């Protein structure tokens, strides 16, 4: 079973060196430009690849499992991860064995990898966890060992660890008489105990929800919801690696009291989340998202981005922007999802960006039910609710996109328990709304030190106003059909005039906002020691967020925590209370890298050609470039997927042209201004002027997003 490793790594290095030599010294021997470029890519990849071994620990006391962490500190991604060669060597590297890759249990040696989102790409700046499982007949021997890996292009990294050297318990001393003439030794200071291990990465170093609640007595106000939400920069530089947070709410169809399974077998929620049964109401269909930092962001920035997310079929598929799904691939092959309605605001696949200096400013958003396709359903099972997103910012105000009824109906059509219970047919609960600031994932580093566990999370900063407040949400309103629904329905039926007045001028009901306790946990344990730092609180009955206790607070959330072994909680502490011997004070929190190999690219069959076969491009604040085209509204991909009749296409196009001709804009905002603070400004690059001849009836669609 064992294989002696003597010169394998030198051979690999020699091969790579030969490739480099051929590329540099003999370009004339290469038959074509493509061959030269290919060789250069090999050389560039080799030079740009660099990995560091961080830590390795044996798992359990039987010598049959090892966990090892490596960090990609190079300038290129490593892929595929499954092609990495892994070796378990003696500490002197003179002997060892090769460990094959396998993501399924075997009776022989194997290793598997732990990366976020089940990726096979080891991205720049990302830490890789490798788990070795050894065959039962060949466990670790006592001594020093090394986990060594070799990337597919021949770059190596390794990390040392010990096993069994301290595993034998020290016997209790036998009592012996003290020698009568023994001199009393001069006492010496007791050295500070060293930590039992180096800091290790914990994937859920901080996770959970802070909840606010909006309530209203009007049960007939399920036609829409609006609120203001805060925008800020959590980080001084760019988004940290393995960080996800967002704050917003969830809009779901009102299936209160319904107990049949809305999610059929074969959907993600039904097959994986039995705790959501029997109805699966909360994960059946939802509109969510908002401002935040997302794990699948491809072009990170220090500021939050705004991303909407329409979950149509029990989290099996999700739509994020017109023509693109949440995962970042084109959804042109799927049934229609989000349709672009605005002719002045471009939605990029990676999220909407904001002008610099957004810290503590507010974005107004309203999801309103509109009857845009009142006579447009293809079958009697499809409802007519077009959930439409309105935004209110300092430099933009108006409708943006809407979710087609057919998108919601995809899962309900033909599945009896869910028929007529989707967002295409039902309205939302208008008497209660849960608001949230959610941290979905942020890594921490932990280390054991003298019977206690110390941990550190990245530095997270919140905006603090002159009254020591950080406001997450404010000014929640619920809407009846009187707000805008009835006027559009009447226009479709009778041809009556439309107006672009404020959504909350009629048919709206103000919600009372209440706060709740902290729901953040540190590595799954409750947090103590925050009461003198920051608390959740309601402000004026209309807003909720953080109240910072310390006067002139900097708005920095605690970074360090400690807990005794066996405690079910962690206590927030200051940096000065962390022993230097833990190594936590020197931990570097890696930034999330722009993924140059995962651009938003056109589908394999290409996009339908835009008007005039002409494309345009804009450069966003996050450093990316978006290529887009202009389409007649009914010719955009999500509408083409509906296969509407000629008559219905004509009527829908006419309605959209009427909507475009209305005076939407900051001089006639769709919402009253926020109670607290100022409006945020959207990235100017996303605000467009239609080309000549396309002033009404045409919309911009993002075709590609990339970064050079």
């Amino acid at each position: 079973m064992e294989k002696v490793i003597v010169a394998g790594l030198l051979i690999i290095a020699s091969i790579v060196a030969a490739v480099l030599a051929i590329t540099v010294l003999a370009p004339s021997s290469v038959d074509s430009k493509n061959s030269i470029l290919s060789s250069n890519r090999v050389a560039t990849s080799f030079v740009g690849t660099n990995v560091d071994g961080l830590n390795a620990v044996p798992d359990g006391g039987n010598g049959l499992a090892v966990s090892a962490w490596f960090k990609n500190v190079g300038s290129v991604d490593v892929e595929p991860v499954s092609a990495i060669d892994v070796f378990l060597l003696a500490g002197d590297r003179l002997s060892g064995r090769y460990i094959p890759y396998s993501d399924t249990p075997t009776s022989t040696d194997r290793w598997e990898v732990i990366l976020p989102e089940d990726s096979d790409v080891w991205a720049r700046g990302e830490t890789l966890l490798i788990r070795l499982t050894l065959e039962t007949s060949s466990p670790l021997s006592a001594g020093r060992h090394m986990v060594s890996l070799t990337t597919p292009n021949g770059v190596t990294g390794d990390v040392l660890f010990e096993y069994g050297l301290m595993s034998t318990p020290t016997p209790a001393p036998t009592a012996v008489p003290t020698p009568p003439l023994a001199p009393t030794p001069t006492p010496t200071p007791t050295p500070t105990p060293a930590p039992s291990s180096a800091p290790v990465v914990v994937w859920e170093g901080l996770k959970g929800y802070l909840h606010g609640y909006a309530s209203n007595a009007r049960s007939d106000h399920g036609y829409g919801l609006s609120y203001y939400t805060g925008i800020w920069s959590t980080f001084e530089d760019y988004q940290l690696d393995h960080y996800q947070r967002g704050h917003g709410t969830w809009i779901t169809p009102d299936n209160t009291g319904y107990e049949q399974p809305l999610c059929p077998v074969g959907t993600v929620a039904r097959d994986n989340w039995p705790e959501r049964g029997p109805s699966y109401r909360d994960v059946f269909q939802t509109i969510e998202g908002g401002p935040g930092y997302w794990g699948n962001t491809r072009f990170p920035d220090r500021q939050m981005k705004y991303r909407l997310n329409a979950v149509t079929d029990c989290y099996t598929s999700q739509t994020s922007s017109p023509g693109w799904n949440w995962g970042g691939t084109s959804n042109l092959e799927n049934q229609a999802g989000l349709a672009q309605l605005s002719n002045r605001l471009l939605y990029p696949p990676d999220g909407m960006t904001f002008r610099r200096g957004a810290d503590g400013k507010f974005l107004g958003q309203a999801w309103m039910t509109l009857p845009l396709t009142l006579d447009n359903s293809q079958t009697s099972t499809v409802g007519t609710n077009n959930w439409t997103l309105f935004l209110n910012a300092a430099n933009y105000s108006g409708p943006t996109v809407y979710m087609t009824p057919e998108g919601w109906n995809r899962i309900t059509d033909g599945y009896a328990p869910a028929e007529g219970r989707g967002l295409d047919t039902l309205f939302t609960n208008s008497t209660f709304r849960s608001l949230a600031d959610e941290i979905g994932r942020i890594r921490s580093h932990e280390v054991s030190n003298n019977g206690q566990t110390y941990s550190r999370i990245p530095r997270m900063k919140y905006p603090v106003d002159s009254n020591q407040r950080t406001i997450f949400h404010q000014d929640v309103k619920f809407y009846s059909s009187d707000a805008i629904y009835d006027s559009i329905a009447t226009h479709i039926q009778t041809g009556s005039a439309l107006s672009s007045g404020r959504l909350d001028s009629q048919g709206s009901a103000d919600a009372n906002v209440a706060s709740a306790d902290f729901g953040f946990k540190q590595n799954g344990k409750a947090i103590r020691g925050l009461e003198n730092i920051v608390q959740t609180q309601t402000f004026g009955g209309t807003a909720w967020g953080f109240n910072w206790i310390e006067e002139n607070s900097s708005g920095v959330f605690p970074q360090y925590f400690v807990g005794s072994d066996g405690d079910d909680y962690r206590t927030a502490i200051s940096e000065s209370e962390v022993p230097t011997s833990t190594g936590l004070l020197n931990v570097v929190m890696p930034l999330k890298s722009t993924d140059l190999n995962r651009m938003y690219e056109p589908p394999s069959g290409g996009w339908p050609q835009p008007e005039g076969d002409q494309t345009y491009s804009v450069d966003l604040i996050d450093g990316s470039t978006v290529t887009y085209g202009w389409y007649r509204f009914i010719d955009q991909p999500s509408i083409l997927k509906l296969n509407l009749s000629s008559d219905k296409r004509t009527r829908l196009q006419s309605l959209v042209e009427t909507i475009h001709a209305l005076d939407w804009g900051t001089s006639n905002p769709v919402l009253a201004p926020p109670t607290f603070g100022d409006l945020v400004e959207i990235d100017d690059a996303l605000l467009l002027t239609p080309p000549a001849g396309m002033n009404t009836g045409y919309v911009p669609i993002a075709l590609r997003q990339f970064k050079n």
Side-chain angles (χ1 to χ4, degrees):
M1 183 66 198
E2 289 191 355
K3 301 177 182 178
V4 177
I5 312 299
V6 181
L9 301 182
L10 292 176
I11 293 172
I12 295 172
S14 298
I15 293 172
V16 174
V19 172
L20 290 170
I22 292 171
T23 304
V24 174
L25 299 177
S28 62
S29 66
V30 182
D31 294 334
S32 68
K33 177 181 177 182
N34 289 337
S35 298
I36 295 173
L37 293 175
S38 178
S39 298
N40 284 335
R41 282 194 293 269
V42 172
T44 301
S45 175
F46 176 77
V47 173
T49 303
N50 191 14
V51 299
D52 276 350
L54 301 180
N55 191 36
V57 294
D59 295 333
N62 57 8
L64 296 177
V66 180
S67 292
W69 289 264
F70 295 83
K71 183 177 179 63
N72 183 351
V73 295
S75 60
V76 298
D77 297 342
V78 176
E79 62 176 316
V81 173
S82 54
I84 291 174
D85 289 325
V86 175
F87 306 90
L88 180 61
L89 309 177
D92 56 9
R93 303 180 66 95
L94 296 179
S95 64
R97 68 210 214 212
Y98 170 76
I99 310 295
Y101 170 82
S102 177
D103 59 1
T104 57
T106 66
S107 60
T108 59
D109 292 345
R110 72 180 183 100
W111 70 272
E112 60 182 329
V113 65
I114 307 298
L115 274 173
E117 305 173 359
D118 297 323
S119 173
D120 200 30
V121 178
W122 185 10
R124 292 160 295 168
E126 192 167 62
T127 297
L128 183 78
L129 169 57
I130 287 177
R131 287 179 175 164
L132 284 70
T133 303
L134 309 180
E135 65 179 70
T136 56
S137 63
S138 195
L140 291 169
S141 58
R144 289 167 60 85
H145 302 269
M146 177 183 294
V147 178
S148 180
L149 63 78
T150 303
T151 66
N153 64 352
V155 176
T156 66
D158 50 52
V159 59
L160 284 164
F161 69 96
E162 294 180 351
Y163 175 75
L165 297 182
M166 302 294 293
S167 61
T168 302
T170 302
T174 303
V176 295
T178 302
L181 300 178
T184 301
T186 301
T188 56
T190 302
T192 301
S196 59
S197 61
V200 299
V201 174
V202 176
W203 296 104
E204 294 185 354
L206 192 69
K207 183 177 181 177
Y209 294 87
L210 304 177
H211 275 300
Y213 301 102
S215 58
N216 165 51
R218 299 295 300 271
S219 61
D220 61 336
H221 279 53
Y223 284 75
L225 169 76
S226 72
Y227 60 99
Y228 281 96
T229 187
I231 310 292
W232 62 79
S233 299
T234 301
F235 309 112
E236 296 176 347
D237 295 309
Y238 279 64
Q239 178 180 343
L240 285 176
D241 198 17
H242 299 292
Y243 180 76
Q244 180 161 312
R245 94 168 301 144
H247 50 274
T249 187
W250 301 264
I251 297 175
T252 58
D254 191 357
N255 282 296
T256 305
Y258 190 76
E259 295 299 326
Q260 295 188 50
L262 291 163
C263 293
V265 174
T267 58
V268 168
R270 180 72 179 272
D271 293 354
N272 296 278
W273 304 333
E275 70 277 5
R276 300 288 192 161
S279 68
Y280 299 87
R281 292 190 297 264
D282 296 336
V283 292
F284 166 49
Q285 292 183 341
T286 176
I287 300 171
E288 55 192 75
Y293 301 86
W294 313 102
N296 59 5
T297 294
R298 300 185 180 181
F299 308 108
D301 193 43
R302 67 181 180 87
Q303 292 190 149
M304 294 179 173
K305 295 184 179 183
Y306 183 90
R307 296 184 70 181
L308 57 90
N309 189 20
V311 179
T312 61
D313 50 2
C314 304
Y315 284 87
T316 303
S317 61
Q318 304 174 57
T319 299
S320 186
S321 63
W324 301 91
N325 66 21
W326 179 253
T329 58
S330 171
N331 65 0
L332 296 186
E333 301 306 314
N334 299 329
Q335 188 138 351
L338 281 165
Q340 177 75 19
L341 181 58
S342 174
N343 62 342
R344 295 187 294 114
L345 179 66
L346 175 67
Y347 255 97
D350 206 52
M352 187 172 67
T353 48
F354 300 95
R355 283 185 187 176
R356 296 295 188 217
D359 291 352
K361 296 185 178 181
F362 294 91
L363 176 70
Q365 48 195 314
W367 279 100
M368 306 293 293
T369 301
L370 305 184
L372 301 178
T373 51
L374 190 62
D375 62 346
N376 222 22
S377 52
Q378 296 296 94
T379 71
S380 59
T381 66
V382 182
T384 58
N385 291 347
N386 294 257
W387 285 93
T388 303
L389 174 65
F390 291 75
L391 294 179
N392 193 47
N395 55 349
Y396 178 87
S397 190
T400 60
V401 298
Y402 73 86
M403 190 67 188
T404 66
E406 289 81 357
W408 304 114
N409 180 255
R410 178 172 53 184
I411 192 174
T412 62
D413 188 23
Y415 178 62
E419 286 185 357
R421 296 194 169 273
L423 277 172
D424 62 313
T425 302
L426 297 183
F427 301 98
T428 193
N429 186 340
S430 64
T431 60
F432 176 82
R433 180 65 49 196
S434 176
L435 309 169
D437 178 64
E438 175 192 2
I439 291 184
R441 179 180 65 213
I442 186 171
R443 297 193 308 181
S444 68
H445 288 74
E446 285 192 356
V447 64
S448 294
N449 188 66
N450 197 28
Q452 292 185 304
T453 297
Y454 290 85
S455 58
R456 176 182 178 180
I457 65 171
R459 186 178 189 271
M460 299 190 302
K461 193 174 187 307
Y462 293 79
V464 182
D465 66 15
S466 59
N467 293 309
Q468 302 297 110
R469 302 172 303 200
T470 300
I471 295 176
F472 297 143
H473 301 101
Q474 60 176 314
D475 301 322
V476 182
K477 301 178 187 292
F478 297 90
Y479 295 86
S480 71
S481 63
D482 291 337
I484 190 173
Y485 185 98
D486 288 346
S487 65
I488 292 180
T490 302
H491 170 79
I492 293 174
Q493 294 166 341
T494 67
S496 61
L498 286 177
S499 67
S500 58
R502 271 184 27 206
L503 301 173
D504 54 4
S505 61
Q506 60 183 13
S508 66
D510 295 334
N512 181 60
V513 178
S515 183
D517 295 333
F518 270 88
F520 289 167
K521 291 188 175 181
Q522 212 281 303
N523 195 17
K525 299 179 183 292
I527 300 176
R528 296 183 178 181
L530 296 175
E531 59 276 0
N532 296 321
I533 303 172
V534 64
Q535 299 175 354
T536 56
Q537 188 171 315
T538 301
F539 308 107
T542 64
W544 79 283
F546 276 162
N547 178 41
W548 296 88
I549 307 303
E550 298 179 354
E551 189 174 355
N552 300 319
S553 171
S554 62
V556 177
F557 194 80
Q559 286 185 264
Y560 299 94
F561 306 86
V562 66
S564 298
D565 294 348
D567 286 348
D568 59 356
Y569 63 89
R570 294 281 174 82
T571 301
I573 59 176
S574 66
E575 181 177 312
S576 62
E577 297 175 90
V578 181
T580 57
S581 60
T582 63
L584 290 175
L585 302 179
N586 299 319
V587 166
V588 177
M589 303 292 181
L591 301 179
K592 183 177 179 64
S593 300
T594 297
D595 194 343
L596 296 177
N597 294 321
R598 297 177 66 233
M599 308 298 186
Y600 295 86
E601 299 286 1
S604 57
W607 290 88
Q609 287 300 309
E611 191 72 19
D613 295 339
Q614 187 171 357
T615 59
Y616 307 79
S617 64
V618 291
D619 297 326
L620 305 189
I621 281 175
D622 63 7
S624 69
T625 298
V626 177
T627 299
Y628 68 97
W630 288 91
Y631 293 78
R632 199 164 63 129
F633 173 84
I634 56 174
D635 293 333
Q636 65 177 295
S638 56
I639 300 298
L640 285 177
K641 282 291 181 179
L642 302 182
N643 296 317
L644 302 176
S645 67
S646 175
D647 180 60
K648 291 177 178 179
R649 282 170 54 85
T650 299
R651 281 182 283 174
L652 182 57
Q653 180 68 24
S654 177
L655 173 61
V656 170
E657 290 174 3
T658 300
I659 291 174
H660 285 173
L662 299 177
D663 58 341
W664 307 104
T666 55
S667 61
N668 185 34
V670 297
L671 295 174
T675 300
F676 303 101
D678 301 319
L679 291 175
V680 73
E681 294 175 300
I682 295 171
D683 188 347
D684 290 322
L686 298 175
L687 305 179
L688 307 178
T689 299
M694 304 182 194
N695 293 329
T696 62
Y698 291 81
V699 295
I701 301 293
L703 306 176
R704 183 173 181 248
Q705 189 171 5
F706 62 96
K707 190 171 185 178
N708 295 317

